[in-house]
Amino acid sequence: MYQNYIFDLYGTLVDIRTNEQKHYLWEKMALYMRLQGADYTAKELKKAYHTQISAQRTRNLTAAQHNPTFNHDSGIQSTELKPEEIEVSFETLIPALYQAKGVEITEKQAADWAVLFRALSLEHLSLYEGAAALLKHLRGKGRKIYLLSNAQRLFTEPEMRALGIYDYFDKIYYSSDIGFVKPSPHFYQRLLQEQRMNPNDSVMVGNDDKADAWGAHDNGLDSIYIYTKQSPKPEHPLPDNCRVITDLSEILKI
């Protein structure tokens, strides 16, 4: 068995379906904000939401590219960054939506906005069979368990707590905190460097061929790939150091 297990979340441990396109979601969120003094229509709010995401991604990319000390320990140059590597943070995005209407909110109000938005957009949320038992078993064996997830902390942390798996992890890395998404080496290297992790004793477990299997490979990690109904169709063959499983319980045999 490996000493360090790095898990993806959505589509790997958690079965989730969301729908951010339904008009009901934007109607209710606009009403919620109007009650707090931020006067939006549903259509206006939806447009502002996507505009803010695009604008913040552009700002974050520019800031990273012009930071001379950016990730110097990893040897990765900021000029190598691609727009698709950049993540935005809803801790910044949500207050910006209110500020555009002249309203200031607290961190708690931003977190409440995120929980309501997620609750209205969620259509299904559950653990995959065997997920909790697997995490419990690995902890019982003294293995280190980490999460490396392309996710917003304001959405994901409450969901993990509700599903009862938050406390299984030794450390959780959300893309919204780091500013990058898998398969960016900037995201992987943050975990590897902070945890002083030996890649030879570590494995990435995920359901995305590009983000998880190849992302791990390009950072010197073995991987375990599980195809679920949320997996994107693989674009390329999986790397040689990737093992394929059909059920989470198979990890216990590796």
Side-chain angles (χ1 to χ4, degrees), residues 7-14 128-131 134 204-209 212-213 223-232 234 238 242-251 254:
F7 284 92
D8 172 56
L9 184 66
Y10 297 119
T12 300
L13 297 173
V14 173
Y128 279 115
E129 184 176 355
L134 170 62
M204 177 74 206
V205 182
N207 73 310
D208 188 304
D209 62 308
D212 300 319
S223 62
I224 298 172
Y225 174 80
I226 180 168
Y227 185 84
T228 67
K229 58 187 176 183
Q230 295 179 43
S231 300
L238 294 169
C242 176
R243 304 187 191 195
V244 179
I245 61 174
T246 58
D247 187 273
L248 287 171
S249 64
E250 295 178 49
I251 293 176
I254 296 175

Side-chain angles (χ1 to χ4, degrees), residues 20-129:
E20 295 184 2
Q21 299 306 312
K22 53 189 177 184
H23 187 67
Y24 176 84
L25 164 67
W26 298 102
E27 279 187 329
K28 291 302 181 183
M29 292 308 302
L31 173 60
Y32 180 71
M33 295 180 74
R34 285 200 302 275
L35 293 173
Q36 296 172 304
D39 190 12
Y40 278 103
T41 64
K43 183 177 180 180
E44 183 185 10
L45 177 58
K46 184 178 181 180
K47 181 179 179 181
Y49 172 85
H50 290 292
T51 298
Q52 282 288 346
I53 289 175
S54 178
Q56 187 179 137
R57 182 171 285 116
T58 299
R59 289 194 300 270
N60 290 354
L61 175 62
T62 300
Q65 288 174 332
H66 290 84
N67 183 352
T69 62
F70 178 78
N71 238 24
H72 64 281
D73 290 335
S74 70
I76 304 169
Q77 299 298 314
S78 60
T79 53
E80 300 171 2
L81 284 171
K82 302 178 180 65
E84 57 268 25
E85 291 182 69
I86 302 298
E87 178 66 288
V88 302
S89 170
F90 275 44
E91 282 92 339
T92 302
L93 184 146
I94 296 168
L97 291 173
Y98 280 90
Q99 289 163 4
K101 294 295 184 176
V103 177
E104 297 292 332
I105 62 171
T106 65
E107 290 182 6
K108 174 64 165 55
Q109 287 174 307
D112 289 343
W113 189 100
V115 169
L116 177 59
F117 183 91
R118 192 66 153 187
L120 292 173
S121 62
L122 268 176
E123 297 185 341
H124 178 78
L125 179 70
S126 68
L127 290 175
Y128 279 115
E129 184 176 355

